[in-house]
Amino acid sequence: MSNISGKVYAMNVVTPMRPWKTPILRLLFFLLWHIKHLQNDLINLSFIEFARWVIIPRRSFPALGHGQPHENLQYDYLLFFSNFNGTWNQYIDAFSAVLSNGLNLIWRWSEKFPGSVPVTPFKEYIARVQFDTDYYYTAYPNATANDLKSAHIVQTAFDTLAQRASSLTPTQFAQAYLDFTLEIQAHLGETGEAPVAC
Amino acid sequence: MPNQNGILYGLTILSPILNDERATPSHDLQIRAFLAALPTDETSPFARAPGTHLARLVVMDDVIYVGAPSCEEHLKSKYLVFESNCDGPLDTYLTNLARTVPEQLDALWSHCVGYPGAANLAAFLAYMKSCQLDTTFFFAAVNDRTLPQSLLALQTQHAVTRFVTDHQGEDPASLQRSFVNFAANLAKQPPPLAGSSAPPRAIKTGGHNE
C-alpha cells in the first residue's frame, strides 16, 4: 500500500450526502465547469496534477447481477480523488488557506463537514473520510505539475528555434538564441527523485 | 458531465468484488496482495500499455461513518476502484490495456463480479463501461498534451538545461553549429519510457498524515 508514487500523492475521500442536496452540488459543479474563471484558484494551486469529484447516487453503485446484492443506502456519496505534489499537511493547509470558499461550497452538502477554516477540524474530518491507495502509478514519477508545465513551454520554444536555426546568420542566431534563453530561463531545471526524510 | 478535460480522459471504475465465504484468503485480500507486488516503474502494466498518465487502484472496503447524528450504513459489497487519468478516447485506451496486459487485468478483475476476461474484447469493454461512473468534475493541470508529448517535453527540458549550461559564452558561429547538432541528435533520441526512474518500491510511506 502506498499513497505516494515519485513526487505525487494519491488522496481518496468519500463523504455521505443527503440525496436532496445532490442536485444542488451538481449545479455548482456545472457552474464551476462552464465559468472558467471560477477555476482560477484551483489552477493557481499549481501542485495539483489531476483531481476529480464523482457523485454516486445511492442507487447507482454498479450492480452486475451474478448474485451481487443490491446496495441499500440512505445517502448519496461524494468521491474525491486528488493527485498532488507535496505532503498531505501542505496540501490541506493550502486548500484551507486558498480555496476555503470553494471547498465549503463543494463539501458543505456532506454530512458533518466542519468547514475548511479553521484548519484543525478540517484536517480531522479529511483524515476520517480518507481511505488509502493500494496501488499508485505515475508515468513521470520525477516530475511535478510545475515541471510538466515548464517542460512544455521549453519544448515549444525549442521547436521554434530548432526549425529556423540553420537558416539564420550567426549574428541572427545569436540574437534568436538570446531571446530563446530569456523566454525559457525560468522553466529550466532538473527533475529527480523526491527528497525522503530518513 | 465531464469525463473529459481537453484531450485527457478521467476514467472512474467501481467493480464489485466477489464475496465468497469459501475463498481463502478472501478476494479483496487477494487483490491487495497482487497490487502490493505490482511494479510501479517502467515494467508496470500501465507503463507497458500506452496512454496512462496517472492511475490508482484501491480496494474500497466500505463507506465511512462520519458520526452522529448522521446514520451509520454499510456497503454490501467491497469495490475495486480504478481511477485513471489517460489519453482518450476511452475505447482506444481500454482496448490497448486489454491487448497489452491481459494477464494483469485478468489477475485483478477475476476477483470481481461478472468479469468476462480481457481475451473477449467486446465483453471486456462492455464490462468496464458497466462499472464506470461518470466523473462530475475533472481537473487536469495540463490538458492539451498526450503522454508521449509530455515524456518528450521532459526529456527536452532536461537536455536543453544541460545545453544552455554547457555553451555559455560561446561565439555565435560555434554556438549555432552546436545547437543545430544538438537539435538533430535530440530528435533521434527515443522518448523516455513511461514510469522510468520511479523510486524503488521500498519507499512505502503510506498513511494519512505524512
Side-chain angles (χ1 to χ4, degrees), chain A residues 11-12 49 51-53 55 71 74-75 77 82-83 88 112 128 134-135 137 139-140 155 165 168 187 190, chain B residues 11-12 39 44 53 55-57 59 66 68 71 73 76 79 84-85 136-137 139 156-158 176 195 208:
Chain A
M11 174 183 277
N12 316 299
E49 295 192 15
R52 75 182 67 177
W53 283 270
I55 295 172
E71 301 296 350
Q74 296 185 46
Y75 292 114
Y77 283 87
S82 184
N83 305 269
W88 189 93
K112 298 208 64 171
R128 169 172 280 200
D134 291 290
Y135 177 80
Y137 165 81
Y140 22 83
Q155 180 77 62
L168 301 175
H187 302 286
E190 296 284 349
Chain B
L11 175 63
T12 312
S44 161
H53 292 250
R56 74 185 73 181
L57 287 152
V59 173
V66 291
C71 301
E73 60 183 3
K76 292 181 177 172
Y79 291 84
S84 180
N85 306 278
T136 314
F137 185 87
F139 171 79
T156 301
Q157 181 194 39
H158 179 82
Q176 184 176 22
H208 285 145

Side-chain angles (χ1 to χ4, degrees), chain B residues 58-73:
Chain B
V58 184
V59 173
M60 184 176 169
D61 293 305
D62 202 351
V63 292
I64 292 167
Y65 174 56
V66 291
S70 67
C71 301
E72 182 175 355
E73 60 183 3

Side-chain angles (χ1 to χ4, degrees), chain A residues 116-128:
Chain A
S116 54
V117 177
V119 73
T120 299
F122 179 50
K123 283 186 178 177
E124 286 172 357
Y125 185 77
I126 295 297
R128 169 172 280 200

Side-chain angles (χ1 to χ4, degrees), chain A:
Chain A
M1 180 276 289
S2 179
N3 293 320
I4 296 176
S5 182
K7 286 183 173 168
V8 62
Y9 184 109
M11 174 183 277
N12 316 299
V13 161
V14 59
T15 52
M17 289 188 305
R18 294 189 186 278
W20 66 266
K21 297 178 179 177
T22 298
I24 303 171
L25 184 57
R26 282 195 192 281
L27 175 65
L28 289 169
F29 278 126
F30 180 85
L31 296 174
L32 184 61
W33 181 257
H34 288 281
I35 305 174
K36 295 297 181 190
H37 73 84
L38 295 179
Q39 298 179 26
N40 283 350
D41 282 344
L42 196 58
I43 292 166
N44 291 336
L45 282 179
S46 58
F47 47 79
I48 301 172
E49 295 192 15
F50 295 96
R52 75 182 67 177
W53 283 270
V54 180
I55 295 172
I56 317 180
R58 59 199 174 118
R59 295 196 178 93
S60 294
F61 279 76
L64 304 181
H66 302 277
Q68 180 202 352
H70 276 268
E71 301 296 350
N72 180 19
L73 300 168
Q74 296 185 46
Y75 292 114
D76 292 348
Y77 283 87
L78 176 64
L79 287 169
F80 174 59
F81 299 108
S82 184
N83 305 269
F84 61 86
N85 309 127
T87 68
W88 189 93
N89 272 306
Q90 286 172 333
Y91 183 65
I92 305 293
D93 282 331
F95 252 32
S96 175
V98 179
L99 269 180
S100 59
N101 290 335
L103 290 185
N104 287 342
L105 271 178
I106 290 170
W107 267 298
R108 70 181 301 162
W109 317 103
S110 290
E111 292 296 291
K112 298 208 64 171
F113 179 65
S116 54
V117 177
V119 73
T120 299
F122 179 50
K123 283 186 178 177
E124 286 172 357
Y125 185 77
I126 295 297
R128 169 172 280 200
V129 296
Q130 183 178 351
F131 55 107
D132 290 316
T133 303
D134 291 290
Y135 177 80
Y136 193 27
Y137 165 81
T138 170
Y140 22 83
N142 294 342
T144 64
N146 278 336
D147 290 332
L148 208 55
K149 289 177 193 170
S150 287
H152 286 299
I153 291 169
V154 171
Q155 180 77 62
T156 303
F158 174 76
D159 288 344
T160 305
L161 182 60
Q163 211 165 29
R164 62 195 194 102
S166 302
S167 63
L168 301 175
T169 65
T171 311
Q172 288 170 330
F173 178 80
Q175 184 59 49
Y177 185 80
L178 180 61
D179 294 341
F180 166 71
T181 49
L182 286 173
E183 182 181 351
I184 63 166
Q185 64 182 344
H187 302 286
L188 296 176
E190 296 284 349
T191 55
E193 290 189 13
V196 178
C198 297

Side-chain angles (χ1 to χ4, degrees), chain B residues 111-129:
Chain B
H111 298 289
C112 294
V113 175
Y115 178 67
N120 182 343
L121 184 61
F124 172 78
L125 292 176
Y127 170 82
M128 286 303 200
K129 289 177 183 176

